Amino acid sequence: MANLVYKRVSTDQQSTARQDLVLAEAGIEDPVVFEEEPGTSSRLHPLERPRFGKLLDYARPGDTVHISEMFRLVRGNQHILDVLEVLHRDRLALRIHGGAFSAMDLTARHPRTGELLSTVKFMVQTLAAAGELQRDLQRELTYDGLRAAEAKGNKGGRRPTLTGETIADVRTAYLEGQSIAALAREHNVSRGAVRTAVADLLAEHAADEVAPAPELLVTLDMPGKVADFLRAAELDDAERAALDHGQAVRRGQGYTLRVTAVPAVHRQLLDHCLPLDGTAAVPAQRKARREYENRVSAFGAAN
């Protein structure tokens, strides 16, 4: 039976050092490690993440999946329940070595029905909701802090990683054909920092390249609460047509709108939903927007 270790960080500025410490203290024998690329967002559904997908492909019945804490793998209630269902289907065990879930057996099932125990499901939903509330509050406090700083004339955001002569060197190397990834490694910074330094040059290079092939239509499921919000928004003709031609699929007491459009239109519709991530929106609306964002992002990552 194999021990499969899963690790992830949300930004390319973070490291897995804390996760490594927790997992090392657990004394896992002969671990097979699956680590996501730095910057893999927690908003992306775990079942749509590349390395977790590789882990599931590699796993065999009886194997154990190890994580340092639950939120390295999942974000909210539905993520947890979806993952537990897949682990049960594939007969895999789950071991969480730190945090609120570390003392729980999340794979416990009723001996006759085979369904997740109601007590386990309740605890999972309660703890996940508490974690999501904490993150939402942190985001709201951060937003309020930035507004207060702007009112005092302070500009928010990180200070530039590349400055002075280093920027000039990076720009020269980029014009000579060195890739953004190679420059990021050479100067020990993120790719985003390099793109910021050569932002005006990117457009010039793009103009010299061959025009890309037309985008193909893609069908994505849009949560009903997102669709309801967009119907009252100001949309252009292409966005409105995509919404009007969507097919409604009933989901319990709600519904999902199956929308077929080019990826650019999906991204535009997602941009219109930004108010649903604000403090004025109810939790169900914020969750619905994140689900749609995950699907749009997952398609972009796969292509």
Side-chain angles (χ1 to χ4, degrees), residues 4-6 32-37 46-60 63 65 73 86 90 92:
L4 313 179
V5 171
Y6 178 76
V32 181
V33 179
F34 295 83
E35 182 177 341
E36 298 289 357
E37 287 292 325
L47 301 180
E48 295 172 345
R49 295 180 196 153
R51 296 304 296 170
F52 190 65
K54 294 285 187 183
L55 181 152
L56 294 176
D57 291 340
Y58 180 91
R60 295 294 179 267
D63 290 351
V65 178
L73 177 58
V86 169
D90 295 346
L92 304 174

Side-chain angles (χ1 to χ4, degrees), residues 57-137:
D57 291 340
Y58 180 91
R60 295 294 179 267
D63 290 351
T64 300
V65 178
H66 298 266
I67 52 178
S68 61
E69 58 182 342
M70 178 58 90
F71 294 112
R72 292 300 97 204
L73 177 58
V74 296
R75 178 181 175 89
N77 292 345
Q78 197 56 51
H79 283 194
I80 296 176
L81 296 177
D82 288 347
V83 168
L84 291 179
E85 187 62 34
V86 169
L87 295 179
H88 175 66
R89 180 199 68 193
D90 295 346
R91 289 181 288 168
L92 304 174
L94 176 65
R95 294 292 178 269
I96 306 164
H97 297 283
F101 291 90
S102 58
M104 296 176 59
D105 179 8
L106 300 182
T107 57
R109 300 260 168 175
H110 193 282
R112 288 186 293 276
T113 66
E115 295 181 352
L116 196 66
L117 287 180
S118 57
T119 52
V120 172
K121 189 173 182 179
F122 173 76
M123 289 301 297
V124 164
Q125 292 174 330
T126 301
L127 290 171
E132 192 163 356
L133 173 62
Q134 181 184 24
R135 287 190 297 274
D136 287 343
L137 289 173

